[in-house]
């Protein structure tokens, strides 16, 4: 059997054309996925889907309905019944939850929701439908290149040192949490995301043959974007 070809190597693209239609961006929290996804989507003239916002939307809805996030059955039912629109705003069952899904409470609850296989099955189906409807797009998350869209034309795995990610994330958050508190949350979520049984976040070494791995530590978002542009 032939060795798998790197998805970012257009010269050996099995599709034989150079057009990039679907891009998968994966990596841990605070690595800069959303910033890169935004620039890339604009450059390619396609839409962007933040799949993390979908898991956050279910976690937020569970908190609102006082559903225990460790009650796998109840959370799975909730995921199936919840309408989620993810664009510039995140609308959950008709309510704008854009800011609320980024709260510390949701940060704490989201890993349990994302570890639930039935929730993943529901959201992965919606993510694939989103891409199938458009035929193109930039999709970011943890399992996009590995599970959701294994045939993506370009796969990027973005990472950065934990301290760098915590500093960036603390700057972004409106709640003004300390860098230390954000750091502890990232370390906790990284551990849960990469050790769960259902679609764990792969390590950069695991995906290196299949994805363009970029360590954004010490790099500007522009520099990261240009590194990706060089693969198009
Ligand atoms: O923005 P941040 O990097 O903090 O995380 P996010 O992309 O908003 O994702 C929030 C959580 O959703 C992650 O910690 C994962 O547990 C989960 N997630 C996932 O399991 N699979 C995805 N494709 C996207 C997010």
């Amino acid at each position: 059997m032939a060795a798998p070809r790197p998805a970012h190597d257009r010269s050996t693209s099995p599709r034989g054309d150079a057009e990039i239609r679907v891009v998968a961006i994966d990596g841990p929290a605070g690595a800069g996925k959303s910033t890169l996804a935004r620039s890339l989507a604009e450059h390619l003239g396609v839409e962007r889907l933040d799949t993390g916002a979908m898991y956050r939307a279910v976690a937020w809805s569970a908190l609102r309905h006082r559903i225990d996030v460790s009650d796998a059955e109840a959370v799975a039912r909730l995921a199936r019944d919840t309408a989620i629109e993810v664009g510039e705003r995140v609308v959950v069952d008709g309510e704008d939850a854009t800011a609320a899904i980024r709260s510390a409470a949701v940060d704490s609850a989201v890993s349990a929701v994302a570890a639930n296989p039935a929730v993943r099955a529901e959201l992965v189906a919606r993510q694939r439908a989103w891409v199938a409807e458009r035929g193109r797009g930039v999709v970011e998350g943890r399992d996009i290149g590995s599970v959701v869209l294994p045939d993506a034309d370009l796969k990027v795995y973005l990472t950065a040192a934990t301290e760098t990610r915590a500093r960036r994330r603390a700057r972004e958050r409106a709640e003004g949490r300390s860098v230390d508190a954000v750091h502890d949350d990232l370390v906790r979520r990284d551990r849960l995301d990469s050790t769960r049984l259902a679609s764990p976040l792969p390590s950069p070494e695991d995906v290196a043959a299949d994805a363009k791995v970029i360590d954004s530590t010490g790099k500007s978002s522009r520099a990261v974007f240009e590194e990706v542009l060089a693969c198009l």
Side-chain angles (χ1 to χ4, degrees):
M1 205 176 80
R5 297 175 217 251
H8 57 276
D9 183 351
R10 306 309 301 158
S11 62
T12 58
S13 164
R15 290 169 59 244
D17 75 50
E19 195 189 356
I20 301 279
R21 300 181 69 83
V22 177
V23 180
I25 303 178
D26 290 302
K33 298 186 297 289
S34 293
T35 306
L36 174 64
R38 221 172 262 124
S39 313
L40 215 46
E42 195 178 315
H43 177 83
L44 295 169
V46 302
E47 288 176 73
R48 164 181 88 95
L49 178 63
D50 174 1
T51 63
M54 299 173 76
Y55 291 93
R56 288 176 176 278
V58 176
W60 176 73
S61 189
L63 294 175
R64 272 194 103 211
H65 291 99
R66 299 188 189 288
I67 294 172
D68 179 353
V69 289
S70 64
D71 183 342
E73 281 273 312
V75 178
R77 218 174 309 120
L78 178 72
R80 287 191 288 267
D81 291 346
T82 303
I84 305 170
E85 293 162 48
V86 176
E88 276 320 304
R89 317 294 305 170
V90 177
V91 180
V92 184
D93 284 334
E95 201 169 322
D96 190 327
T98 312
I101 63 160
R102 309 276 166 204
S103 65
V106 172
D107 281 346
S108 299
V110 69
S111 303
V113 169
N116 183 324
V119 172
R120 300 202 72 81
E122 172 65 25
L123 298 189
V124 167
R126 294 192 200 185
Q127 292 154 16
R128 289 182 178 144
W130 184 94
V131 173
E133 232 168 71
R134 291 160 180 79
R136 17 189 3 202
V138 175
V139 184
E140 56 168 298
R142 301 287 190 289
D143 59 342
I144 309 305
S146 54
V147 174
V148 182
L149 303 167
D151 295 329
D153 302 308
L154 174 69
K155 298 180 187 180
V156 178
Y157 186 99
L158 195 57
T159 184
T162 315
E163 290 67 27
T164 304
R165 297 191 283 119
R167 249 183 287 113
R168 286 181 188 154
R169 186 43 60 87
R171 260 201 313 261
E172 280 166 23
R173 288 292 203 250
E175 285 169 343
R177 262 180 290 161
S178 72
V179 177
D180 283 350
V182 173
H183 178 275
D184 292 349
D185 172 63
L186 291 193
V187 170
R188 183 186 61 83
R189 261 185 322 122
D190 284 353
R191 184 173 42 76
L192 294 171
D193 287 345
S194 49
T195 57
R196 69 182 178 218
L197 291 175
S199 310
L201 171 71
S203 71
E205 295 75 30
D206 287 343
V207 296
D210 189 40
K212 165 89 179 155
V213 176
I214 300 178
D215 185 334
S216 70
T217 312
K219 290 180 190 161
S220 66
S221 42
R222 180 79 211 168
V224 172
F225 176 52
E226 279 169 6
E227 221 173 295
V228 175
L229 284 190
C231 307
L232 299 185

